[in-house]
Each structure stands twice: as C-alpha cells, then as structure tokens.
Amino acid sequence: MVATQSGLAKRCWIGPNVGSGNSAKSSYLAPNMGEKAQNQQNQGKNTKSAISPTREENFPEWYQQVIKAADLAENSEVRGCMVIKPWGYGIWENIQRQLDQMFKETGHKNAYFPLLIPLSYLEKEAEHAEGFATECAVVTHHRLRAEKDETGKTRLIPEGKLSEPFVIRPTSETIIGATFARWVQSYRDLPLLINQWANVMRWEMRPRLFLRTAEFLWQEGHTAHETREEAITEMELILGVYEKFARDHLAIPVVTGAKSENERFPGADETLCIEAMVQDRKAIQAGTSHFLGQNFSKASGINFIGRDGKSEHAWTTSWGVSTRLIGTLIMAHGDDDGIIVPPRIAPSQIVILPITPKEDSKDSVLDASQALAKMLRQQEFHGESIRVEVDTRDLNGGVKNWEWIKKGVPLRIEIGPRDIESRKVAVTRRDRGPKDKEFIPKEDFIRSVSERLQDVQDNLLERARAFRDANIVRIDTREAFDAFFTPRNPNQPEIHGGFALCHWAGSNEDEEQIQKDLKVTIRCIPFGDEFAEEGTCFYTGKPSNRRVFFAKSY
Amino acid sequence: MVATQSGLAKRCWIGPNVGSGNSAKSSYLAPNMGEKAQNQQNQGKNTKSAISPTREENFPEWYQQVIKAADLAENSEVRGCMVIKPWGYGIWENIQRQLDQMFKETGHKNAYFPLLIPLSYLEKEAEHAEGFATECAVVTHHRLRAEKDETGKTRLIPEGKLSEPFVIRPTSETIIGATFARWVQSYRDLPLLINQWANVMRWEMRPRLFLRTAEFLWQEGHTAHETREEAITEMELILGVYEKFARDHLAIPVVTGAKSENERFPGADETLCIEAMVQDRKAIQAGTSHFLGQNFSKASGINFIGRDGKSEHAWTTSWGVSTRLIGTLIMAHGDDDGIIVPPRIAPSQIVILPITPKEDSKDSVLDASQALAKMLRQQEFHGESIRVEVDTRDLNGGVKNWEWIKKGVPLRIEIGPRDIESRKVAVTRRDRGPKDKEFIPKEDFIRSVSERLQDVQDNLLERARAFRDANIVRIDTREAFDAFFTPRNPNQPEIHGGFALCHWAGSNEDEEQIQKDLKVTIRCIPFGDEFAEEGTCFYTGKPSNRRVFFAKSY
C-alpha cells in the first residue's frame, strides 16, 4: 500500500503547478482522469467540463457544484440543516440496507431510542458532556401559544417551560446507557448488540453539505459486554465491517488504525477509524468504532451479576457511520462532469435513454426500452435485482444524457430505431469518457450485465487505490514534513502532498502545535506489520517503533 | 361487511357481563378465542393465561402488559418517549420495507427534510399553526456551557439563544412546502411525489406506548400537482395503498372514508382515513391521507407556470402512517397469551426450538435445527426469504416456548432426538392454542411452509373481519345510540357496542356535543354504495342520504 520514499519523492513534490501543466494536472486528478479518459472527454466536449469550476480550479467549490448538478442535496433555510434530495437519499438507502445486512450478519439487532436527552444524563460522563456541550440544540419549552397580532397574522410564542431542558441527541451513549442499565441484570443478558438508525444534531458553525451538517443521518451501534476483551473484539470487528463496506460497496480503499489520544471520542478509552483519501489528498474520517471501557457503564449504572456472583460494570462500545459517507464518495470518485456512483450503491445502476427521432418509430423504441429494462431487472448484482430506470421524459436526448452523466449513473444505454433493427444496444460507462460508447448485441449485454457493473465497481476502486497509494509518502524530517503540507500556490491553498507516514514520539502538546502550525493531525496509528519498524520521531528526535498517518482533514 | 340490525341486535347487547359468563367471554374475545382455541388453551395451561390481567379483566392494562411480555417497547425516562426494543422495531422494519415498496411502485421517491422548523414557517398557515401549537417541543438555544459545581460535578447551562426559535417537526407540511417552492417552476416539474421516513414529535399529555407517544416514527408523503383532480386522485390512491397494506400485510380489515370537518387535519380541505376496530370495539385511526387544496401552496409559495403560461398555485396532498400501526395490531390480534404477529410482518416467522434432553444427542439436534433453518430460509414467502430463528439459548424448553408465544411468532417448531429419527417436526401455530401441535414429515413441511404461513395470515384476517362485522350495527334512534355506547359495567368502563352506522345530518356543534356526552365521534363517512340510502338523522331528525360510522376511539 505504501509507496517507498525514493520511488515517490519525485512525484509527490510535483505540486499541481510545479513542472509541466500536464503532469501536474494528471497527478492531481489521478483517480478518474487518466490520459485516455481525458482525451476522450476533450474530444467529446471540446475541453469544456460539465462542472464549473473544475476540481483543479477550486476543489471546495467544485464539491458544492457537483452536489447541485447531481441533484443530491441542498441547504435548507434552517441553518446547517440540509434537504437530501431523492438521488442523494437513494444512495443513503442503499448504504443503509447493505450495511444493515452486515450488522445483522454479525449478530446485531436494531432498536430505537428517544431523540431527546435530559441534561442530567449528559452531565453524567464529564468528558463526554464537555466534548459535546458547545454543539447541542436545547429544547426548553413544550408548547406554543397562538396569538393574532395587530395585522391579524398568527404569531406563536413559546410556553410551557420545562423543569429540566433536553438536548436533541448529538449521539446516544447516555440515553442508551440508561436503557441498558435496565436491560442488563446478569452475565446471561450479555452481550447486548444493538444498532440504531437515526438522525442526530450537532450545531455546526461552518456547515458543509454531507460532510458537516447540523442535522445528519447515521447509524450508531451500542454494545455491552461481560469482559474487556469481548468489547475490544467487538470494536475491532466493526472496524473490519466498515473497512470492507468502504472497499467493496463504496469502492473507497481506506486506511485504518487507532486515533491518538487527542482525537478520541469524548469518553472513549480507544477510538478506531477508517480514513479515506479524497482527490485534494485530504483525509475524511469516514467511520469510527470506540471502546468505551467502563466509563459509560459506571456513569449509567450498567451493572450485572457475573459468573462469580459479584456485581460488575459492563464493558461497552459504540460505533457509527453517517451521511458523511456520501460526501466522501463524491470527493473520492467525482470528476469534472459530476459524481460517479459506484454500482453497488447507485439508486439506478443503469439508465435507458430511448432515442426517438421519428414519431412513427417512437412506440417501438419505447416498448423495446421497457422490455429491455424488464429483462435487466431480472438479472442480479450481488444478490439484488439490478436497478434500471427508463428515462421517457420529453426532453432533448443530449440534455437527458448529460443529466445522467452528472448524476453518475454507472451505465447509460441508448436505444434508437436502428438499434432495434440491429438488435444491439449502445452502452456508455460513466467511469470512462462520455464518447467511449460500445455497441453490444442485446442478448450479450443482458447476459454480461452483472460482470459489466462489477467491472465499473472494480475500476473505481483500482483508481482510488492507485491514487491513495501514490499519495502516501514516508517522511522522516521536519523540513520535508513542512514542505509536504505547505501549499505551493496561493490560488490553491488546499493542495498539498497527501498522507505522510512518519515516526512519532511526540506529546499531545506537540500534536496540537502541528495542528496549529499546519492544520495537520494524526489521522490514525495503523496496526499492520508494515508500519512497525525502528526509527526516529521526525518532530522530537525520540525513538519510535511505528509510523503513523498525518494528514490535513475535513 | 355490515351486519343487519335485526340479526345483530341480540348479540351486540350481550355485554361481557350480561348473560352467561361463557357467552360474554366468547363474544368479547371473538377474534382469537373461539371455543376450540379456548378449550385447548385451558387444557394446556390449566386456564391460566400468560398475560395478567386478561383482555376481559382490564383491556388497557392488558395492552401494557402484552407490550412488556412481548418485549416490544418500554417507556423511557424522557416523558412520553418510548424505547422501541428489537422485537418491536423488527415489526416496524418490516412495515417500513413493505410499505416503502408499495410507495415506490406507485411512483414515489424518498427524500429527507430538516427536523427543525422555524416558527415563522409554522405561522404561515394559520389553521395548521393553531392545530399543532399546543404540542410542539421548542428549541431556543444552540449550545451548553459546561461548569463544575462546588462538588466538582459537571453542570450544563443552556447558552447561545437563537434569534428565532425552532420547533421539532410535529409534521412537515411547512418545511417541505418551502422546499417544494424552490423545486417547482413549471408544470413540467409536476407532479412531485415525495415520501419521508422520519421521527416527529407531538408533546402528549397522556402518552400510551405506540398509540400516542411524544416522539413517534412515521412516513409522511407530500405531493404537489398541477390540478385539483390529480391531487384528489393521489389522496385516494394512497388511501387504497393503506387499506390494502392493513388488510394484506397486517391482517387488519379497516373501514375507510372521509373525516367530518371537525376531525380533519389542520389545514386540509379533505381528510380520508383508515379506521381499525380493535378488541374492545373502539376505533383506531391507523392512517390518513389529506387533500390540502392550495392552502399550503399559497402559504409556502409553491407556484408554477402552467400550460397557458400563467402562474398558478400547486395542489398538494400529504399522508402518513406511524408506529401507531404496531399498537393497532397488538390490540387487533393479541390474546391473553401475548401478541400474535401476522406472518408477513413478523421479525421471525418461524422459531426452531431444539429439544436437547441428553448431552450425547445435543449436537445432532442442534445441527438438525440449523440445517432445517437453512432449508427454510431458502423458501420464499411473498417474495422474501423466510425469516427463521433457532433459539439455542441454554434455558428450559418450556420457558423458551412461552417467551415465543408471548412474542407471537407465527410458527414454532420443536426438534428433539426422536424427531430426527422419525424425520418429522412438531409444528405449533400461534393463532391456535399452545397444545395444538402437528407432527409433520420434515420434507412436507419445508415444501408447504409458505402456504402454512399464508394460512395463519388468512386466519388472522378472517377472525378480525368476523369480529369487526359482528360489531358494526345500524342504529337509527337516539336511545339505541346512547345505549350502544353506554358501558354496562362500572368495572369495564371501556366496553360498549362497537361501531354504529347511523344516518347523520347534524352540525359541527351537534357532533361536539355527542363527543362531550359519550366520547363518541364520527370516525368516517364511508364512500361505498352500501352506505348510501335515504333515511333520517338519529340525532336531529333531518333527512340524510348516507350512513356514517360513529365510535369511541383511541
């Protein structure tokens, strides 16, 4: 996974505006703009991309524009709260269904807990309370008085002040802990393996669609165990589920490991995470799994009579992924024409675009399109019926085609009068350029559709993996570290080297200082043997026996 | 559907404590305590039921006890908010998945809208604002200050007062209306057919698990149309979906119709509903579908350029069902041994209970149980894999069996060493008595399992339909009406006649008076021809051309 420093040193120092324009561009846009695709795109569209600005021109603004162009979500007038539109919500539904199946296969059951948390619950675990205090929406009243004002308009005034305010859950350890305390009496009641799909609220000062919103959707797993070892095993099991899901379903090859103490979940003894590298080479924390020790069981009173007849505190974990995954996949796979949705989680995996140039062949083209859709839906991809949409809207074909490119549907199929005669379909893959069209005998296509979707899925993963691996660099000196994370161009303040793999033996304060100086943090302390080696901390010069990942992050 | 008055008059006047004890009991408990089942149960359990009190002794308390015994949900320490436990949530997941499929098949897509609604949005539609004002949770602050008190304990104090408070959505017409206003520009953007699965909050003074909770889970459909007719058709389409879902999935035969003006949704021009009759003969409003006219489109500005180039207001609808459906099905199908879950929505449709009397045959019994489960899971019921659980817990077999009876799993299978030899399985249906066990060759059972589940499903519907029809009575005089709804026995204040089908030509005030006097309301004005006939209003003596349903309700 990790490129050697010598092999990569050259490439990684080529910032987007260093060296020739071409190599800079292709290095920056590596995951989905290989030379071939780029050429094709240029031919097809005369170098104009559907999204403006491009990733290269302004990555953060490109992100906003992709979300708009792909019709995924939008800001609401409630500050920081988004509206998730059908195409974006469709992705979430697939994420939800497929992850849910993985949770169930590993023995978890879903339940549902209250949205509101009494302040006194939150106060029980001090570190947790302090960690979330500054971002809690507070409910103080339970009714409104309706009055007519002088103009006759209805005004609503808060009434019915609550004796104890509630917060809208920012996470549910405390309320679920109070519930588990009721459910657990004996070691026979353990383990308790529960998951909740829910909305949570963390008041964000600088919201960004999907990545950081005041309200977001997520799943939060909460488990209680008899022993410390079992709880740690659970935390690790879930990390594995998240890593596998990111890789096989989202086509995102994450790095995994433990958080440093500074970056742990408030109240956790250990936090594991999956970290994705996106196309501006920053990290996105895409999922976390926490070992909570006995902190919450002591605070909430989750006690049980053990095998020896004595009362003990349970060992708990919690873990979650959220709609942030959608932001991650946009940034990981999108190109200058829009989002590219990995087939496994695409709301529609195939769109059929009937081409109806003449009125007299229109019906037969529409019939053939619907018939093809029906046959494709009878095929399966990873145990699910293939999801096919026929776009029969009365719109210009080119307009429709570009809408679907921007939405990132994996395969587009055109059927016109001539295709019916030749019994062929014109197939375009979203992960290739818009003009890379194949004409395939219809029966062959139906027979091979699942393999073709898998090929798109694999290609996205391969590209993302190559990009990630090319942008992980072993760095051993403070100068090289500073240079790696220093933007080269004032117009592109975000663009820098990627993930630095460094020996580290610094203190929490050292880590904070690096964050202040460079906005760089330890993303994770990876587990694998390939990271274990004797060396010297680049920052303190102290001995170290493992490299850790440093990166800028969302 | 409707029993004639003459045929039923005798039966319906037999209250539970009038006439012989036996006939009273069987009339009250009709849907799931026919004589046969009752005898079997008595034999098996020496007349003691698993739930105390029984339905007959105290129906409201029986309901609470069933929920507890079946492990469906419990009250949290957040007043009015419930914790939905895995078995209860599993029922909700099935309701959700199956209804969702019906919505999608009728062209609807899911999306997600903010939890919080600015007060100014709610104020826009006066009737709506006034309808929900008294039950809104109000968010007034967006952060907390963490302080240590004199004892060193963390205290949290609300800070960051919001310039405009928010309410937690009691329903989303206003926030979705504001969004639709952005989405709709032209008639080409219509119809907009959106559904949301979400939590909502209505501060309840007298909460009751599932039926009336401060927070509940639901789906809310919101659609916008070009014409009045299209919106009305949509409202009716959804009523049909709800009726079919209640009948075919929940085994609940509802009555349907329009609400009277008094009972309409605040801000609607028309409300249609499905109303279930449960075993104390009260009605539960189990789903509603509203035609909102142009009220919300005017308030929110959902305007579009029509085919004639002029700006018009859209016509909107909204519709919903909630976790209340679970309360309805408990009250519709439960018996004195617990809940009975209709197979289509049971989290587990079959439980396999390995009987392991001897250590040396234990492994082979467990293996045979798992092998059977695997084969059953390969069978389908209504297009879904059959859901089978093997209960391998190290508990007394009788204890386990009763747990599953209380939880209402449709089929229980016992496998012991002798069954392996004889290649048979011992099958017990939850809708029959606990001792009504059949020994069936294993292969036959596997082959017929889907039909057997359907037979349970059909039987539950049939029983509920017979009970409903037996307790709908045409009533034509005020005296008969009063008597029908007057409890006969002070110990059972809830028990009364059922649904009264009456001619009605009274005013809104007359309706309110009846509600005050008898706690009886018009549940719906049914559409069918069988309700249309000339007659005289029982209350006012005025002419009427249609009968309406009156009932007590939850």
Side-chain angles (χ1 to χ4, degrees), chain B residues 183-247:
Chain B
W183 293 0
V184 175
Q185 311 294 332
S186 137
Y187 70 91
R188 289 176 193 273
D189 300 322
L190 298 173
L192 208 48
L193 306 174
I194 299 293
N195 178 60
Q196 166 171 266
W197 291 96
N199 54 343
V200 286
M201 185 155 259
R202 299 179 187 174
W203 212 266
E204 286 290 346
M205 285 300 142
R206 265 176 276 160
R208 194 193 294 245
L209 287 169
F210 290 118
L211 289 180
R212 206 172 271 283
T213 48
E215 184 188 11
F216 56 92
L217 303 182
W218 80 345
Q219 61 68 216
E220 49 180 324
H222 294 270
T223 69
H225 305 264
E226 194 181 342
T227 66
R228 182 188 158 85
E229 291 66 36
E230 274 179 47
I232 289 174
T233 301
E234 168 77 11
M235 165 183 68
E236 291 168 347
L237 168 83
I238 294 297
L239 189 78
V241 167
Y242 287 163
E243 184 184 11
K244 181 173 159 50
F245 179 78
R247 184 187 65 222

Side-chain angles (χ1 to χ4, degrees), chain B residues 470-481:
Chain B
N471 292 290
I472 295 175
V473 180
R474 289 171 197 266
I475 289 187
D476 290 322
T477 69
R478 201 152 159 178
E479 294 66 34
F481 188 89

Side-chain angles (χ1 to χ4, degrees), chain A residues 91-384:
Chain A
I91 294 173
W92 181 243
E93 287 181 291
N94 291 333
I95 289 175
Q96 204 174 6
R97 186 182 62 255
Q98 293 168 20
L99 250 186
D100 195 69
Q101 194 182 333
M102 293 171 84
F103 295 150
K104 285 180 176 149
E105 282 165 2
T106 47
H108 301 86
K109 293 197 170 174
N110 290 328
Y112 189 78
F113 300 86
L115 171 71
L116 299 184
I117 298 179
L119 282 197
S120 59
Y121 278 31
L122 214 54
E123 287 164 351
K124 283 181 189 171
E125 217 288 337
E127 220 179 275
H128 186 72
E130 282 156 33
F132 286 103
T134 58
E135 45 192 34
C136 284
V138 191
V139 176
T140 53
H141 295 73
H142 67 79
R143 65 172 183 269
L144 299 163
R145 188 177 73 244
E147 280 187 356
K148 299 272 181 201
D149 70 7
E150 58 278 8
T151 69
K153 211 181 146 359
T154 299
R155 296 288 169 208
L156 297 168
I157 295 106
E159 280 204 331
K161 193 170 181 197
L162 295 162
S163 55
E164 182 184 357
F166 295 103
V167 300
I168 297 178
R169 60 183 163 219
T171 178
S172 302
E173 278 74 11
T174 57
I175 186 101
I176 294 181
T179 312
F180 279 13
R182 291 195 297 272
W183 293 359
V184 174
Q185 311 294 332
S186 136
Y187 70 90
R188 290 175 192 274
D189 300 322
L190 298 173
L192 208 48
L193 306 173
I194 298 293
N195 178 61
Q196 165 170 268
W197 291 95
N199 54 344
V200 286
M201 185 155 259
R202 299 178 187 175
W203 211 266
E204 286 291 347
M205 284 302 142
R206 266 176 275 162
R208 195 194 295 246
L209 287 168
F210 289 119
L211 288 181
R212 206 172 272 283
T213 48
E215 184 190 11
F216 56 92
L217 304 182
W218 79 345
Q219 61 68 216
E220 49 181 324
H222 295 268
T223 70
H225 306 264
E226 194 181 342
T227 66
R228 181 188 160 85
E229 291 64 39
E230 274 179 46
I232 289 175
T233 301
E234 167 78 10
M235 165 182 70
E236 291 168 347
L237 168 82
I238 294 298
L239 189 78
V241 168
Y242 287 163
E243 184 184 11
K244 182 173 160 50
F245 179 78
R247 184 188 64 222
D248 296 346
H249 297 248
L250 305 180
I252 297 176
V254 292
V255 304
T256 65
K259 285 288 181 197
S260 65
E261 203 183 319
N262 282 5
E263 298 277 327
R264 266 181 213 146
F265 178 77
D269 281 359
E270 175 94 276
T271 289
L272 307 186
C273 61
I274 59 170
E275 298 275 331
M277 183 192 288
V278 292
Q279 292 178 72
D280 61 355
R281 301 185 194 139
K282 283 167 87 169
I284 298 183
Q285 176 181 301
T288 48
S289 181
H290 315 293
F291 169 61
L292 305 174
Q294 294 179 315
N295 304 332
F296 285 90
S297 68
K298 283 178 184 166
S300 303
I302 313 175
N303 305 323
F304 66 95
I305 304 299
R307 287 168 204 268
D308 58 0
K310 288 182 193 152
S311 180
E312 296 176 39
H313 298 295
W315 299 85
T316 69
T317 80
S318 69
W319 29 275
V321 297
S322 72
T323 36
R324 184 164 235 232
L325 287 177
I326 299 176
T328 310
L329 82 92
I330 297 167
M331 286 197 173
H333 299 306
D335 67 13
D336 294 334
D337 290 332
I339 183 178
I340 303 181
V341 192
R344 289 195 71 172
I345 52 136
S348 301
Q349 291 154 331
I350 299 173
V351 65
I352 298 174
L353 301 160
I355 312 288
T356 52
K358 290 178 191 163
E359 201 52 43
D360 66 352
S361 58
K362 192 172 172 179
D363 284 353
S364 66
V365 169
L366 291 177
D367 289 351
S369 299
Q370 297 292 1
L372 177 63
K374 199 176 161 189
M375 284 184 283
L376 290 171
R377 287 185 192 119
Q378 286 162 358
Q379 306 296 311
E380 287 197 353
F381 181 58
H382 288 280
E384 299 183 346

Side-chain angles (χ1 to χ4, degrees), chain B residues 239-522:
Chain B
L239 189 78
V241 167
Y242 287 163
E243 184 184 11
K244 181 173 159 50
F245 179 78
R247 184 187 65 222
D248 296 347
H249 297 248
L250 305 180
I252 297 176
V254 292
V255 305
T256 66
K259 284 287 179 196
S260 66
E261 203 184 320
N262 282 5
E263 297 277 327
R264 266 182 214 146
F265 179 77
D269 281 359
E270 175 94 276
T271 289
L272 308 186
C273 61
I274 58 170
E275 298 274 331
M277 183 191 290
V278 291
Q279 292 179 70
D280 62 353
R281 299 184 195 140
K282 283 168 87 169
I284 298 184
Q285 176 182 301
T288 48
S289 181
H290 315 294
F291 169 61
L292 304 174
Q294 296 178 315
N295 304 333
F296 285 90
S297 68
K298 283 178 183 166
S300 303
I302 312 175
N303 304 322
F304 65 96
I305 304 298
R307 288 167 203 268
D308 58 0
K310 289 181 193 153
S311 180
E312 296 176 40
H313 298 295
W315 300 84
T316 69
T317 80
S318 69
W319 29 276
V321 298
S322 73
T323 35
R324 184 165 237 231
L325 287 177
I326 299 176
T328 310
L329 82 91
I330 297 167
M331 286 196 173
H333 299 305
D335 67 13
D336 295 333
D337 290 332
I339 183 177
I340 303 180
V341 191
R344 289 195 70 173
I345 53 137
S348 300
Q349 291 155 330
I350 300 173
V351 64
I352 298 175
L353 302 160
I355 311 288
T356 53
K358 290 177 192 162
E359 202 51 45
D360 65 352
S361 58
K362 191 172 173 179
D363 285 352
S364 66
V365 169
L366 290 176
D367 289 351
S369 299
Q370 295 293 0
L372 177 62
K374 199 176 161 188
M375 284 183 283
L376 290 171
R377 287 185 192 119
Q378 286 162 359
Q379 306 296 312
E380 287 197 353
F381 181 57
H382 289 279
E384 299 182 346
S385 274
I386 289 182
R387 298 182 285 273
V388 186
E389 186 153 346
V390 183
D391 187 348
T392 56
R393 290 175 303 163
D394 195 12
L395 280 175
N396 171 294
V399 171
K400 283 206 266 193
N401 193 37
W402 273 103
E403 269 189 28
W404 289 107
I405 291 173
K406 288 186 278 185
K407 286 187 158 195
V409 70
L411 297 180
R412 304 188 303 285
I413 298 174
E414 287 165 309
I415 300 186
R418 267 180 298 176
D419 303 310
I420 296 178
E421 273 172 42
S422 65
R423 302 190 61 77
K424 286 189 175 177
V425 290
V427 181
T428 316
R429 285 170 60 148
R430 179 60 181 87
D431 61 328
R432 295 196 182 144
K435 289 288 167 184
D436 190 0
K437 203 180 281 187
E438 269 189 283
F439 292 85
I440 305 169
K442 196 178 73 176
E443 276 67 31
D444 290 359
F445 178 73
I446 294 170
R447 215 177 357 257
S448 62
V449 62
S450 174
E451 289 75 49
R452 284 171 193 275
L453 288 170
Q454 188 60 43
D455 200 52
V456 176
Q457 182 86 27
D458 292 343
N459 184 38
L460 289 176
L461 177 64
E462 243 357 278
R463 286 200 316 209
R465 183 177 280 139
F467 181 78
R468 178 196 69 174
D469 292 352
N471 292 290
I472 295 175
V473 180
R474 289 171 197 266
I475 289 187
D476 290 322
T477 69
R478 201 152 159 178
E479 294 66 34
F481 188 89
D482 287 359
F484 188 72
F485 287 113
T486 302
R488 290 292 135 62
N489 181 335
N491 293 327
Q492 298 182 323
E494 301 298 326
I495 293 173
H496 60 280
F499 287 11
L501 252 183
C502 308
H503 278 288
W504 178 250
S507 64
N508 293 351
E509 292 69 33
D510 292 334
E511 209 180 319
E512 282 161 24
Q513 192 59 50
I514 292 173
Q515 183 169 14
K516 265 186 213 154
D517 294 342
L518 295 167
K519 294 193 195 157
V520 170
T521 50
I522 297 178

